[in-house]
Amino acid sequence: MSAPAGTLTDLIRTIETSPIVDRDTTAQALAFVRDGVLTGEGPTAAGRVHFSRSLDTGDADWCARILTAAALDHQPVSRAEAEALFQINDAATERMDDGRFDDLFAKAIVHHAASSSGLPVPPRAVALSPETAIESWAPTKAIGVNIEVLEWIAAQMRGKRRHNRLLMSLVATLIGAATTLPLAHSLPGLLDLGM
């Protein structure tokens, strides 16, 4: 993902006040969070002590604020947003957020995978809420799950030092179920996620 266009203030204003928001705008705002995690500086780290390569509750709050804006509620998490979240996850070698980002990250990626497969997903305010258990809405069977999306997620996770156990468990379940389908031949190497 390239450097964010515009200022974070402009992007947040658009995300929080516009009746219609382009999900690329939210991906751009998430890029500011990624940059703040990487450097420990910038608008998302302003006003607090923030070390480079660390993710704290402030960063998790920024991600939640961006992803759950009212105008986005009935839009599924996009590939660009999911990519930005993977980049934030990769950038953060240190976590000080009590698991808040990991919860949001897993839910957003599964929301993207399910919606990209044409499966029903709840509104973002429900699906991404810390009070909602992902098991209450995430697909648990591979029937109808787009194999390309599973391959993309597995490729994003492969070879990474830090793994989101909840996301890995859900993806492994879906991949395991998918291997019983006729499309199983298209999944070589997918199960090698480095668990």
Side-chain angles (χ1 to χ4, degrees):
M1 179 179 295
S2 61
T7 67
L8 180 61
T9 303
D10 294 338
L11 294 172
I12 293 296
R13 184 179 308 113
T14 299
I15 291 167
E16 293 183 338
T17 62
S18 176
I20 300 172
V21 177
D22 176 357
R23 292 173 296 171
D24 287 339
T25 302
T26 58
Q28 290 174 359
L30 289 168
F32 275 98
V33 178
R34 177 208 58 214
D35 293 349
V37 167
L38 278 170
T39 65
E41 300 173 352
T44 61
R48 59 194 168 100
V49 176
H50 194 292
F51 299 101
S52 65
R53 311 286 290 170
S54 67
L55 188 145
D56 62 17
T57 55
D59 300 313
D61 289 346
W62 273 108
C63 291
R65 178 179 177 186
I66 291 164
L67 289 169
T68 60
L72 296 166
D73 199 35
H74 293 286
Q75 295 183 43
V77 173
S78 71
R79 176 70 59 101
E81 292 168 313
E83 286 175 350
L85 290 170
F86 271 111
Q87 291 173 0
I88 293 167
N89 186 60
D90 293 346
T93 57
E94 180 107 14
R95 302 293 172 98
M96 299 168 284
D97 68 327
D98 298 321
R100 291 170 64 187
F101 178 79
D102 283 348
D103 179 68
L104 178 68
F105 174 56
K107 289 173 179 175
I109 299 305
V110 173
H111 198 266
H112 167 68
S115 64
S116 293
S117 300
L119 300 174
V121 291
R124 289 183 187 211
V126 173
L128 305 181
S129 170
E131 286 80 39
T132 303
I134 194 169
E135 297 83 7
S136 70
W137 62 267
T140 56
K141 295 182 174 46
I143 305 302
V145 178
N146 183 320
I147 299 303
E148 181 276 326
V149 175
L150 291 177
E151 290 174 335
W152 176 79
I153 292 169
Q156 296 294 314
M157 294 168 60
R158 193 174 293 116
K160 304 298 183 194
R161 269 190 269 173
R162 181 172 185 87
H163 292 289
N164 181 304
R165 294 200 183 281
L166 177 58
L167 180 57
M168 287 178 64
S169 173
L170 286 165
V171 170
T173 299
L174 292 173
I175 291 169
T179 60
T180 64
L181 301 174
L183 295 174
H185 67 278
S186 68
L187 295 170
L190 203 55
L191 294 173
D192 179 24
L193 297 175
M195 287 193 217

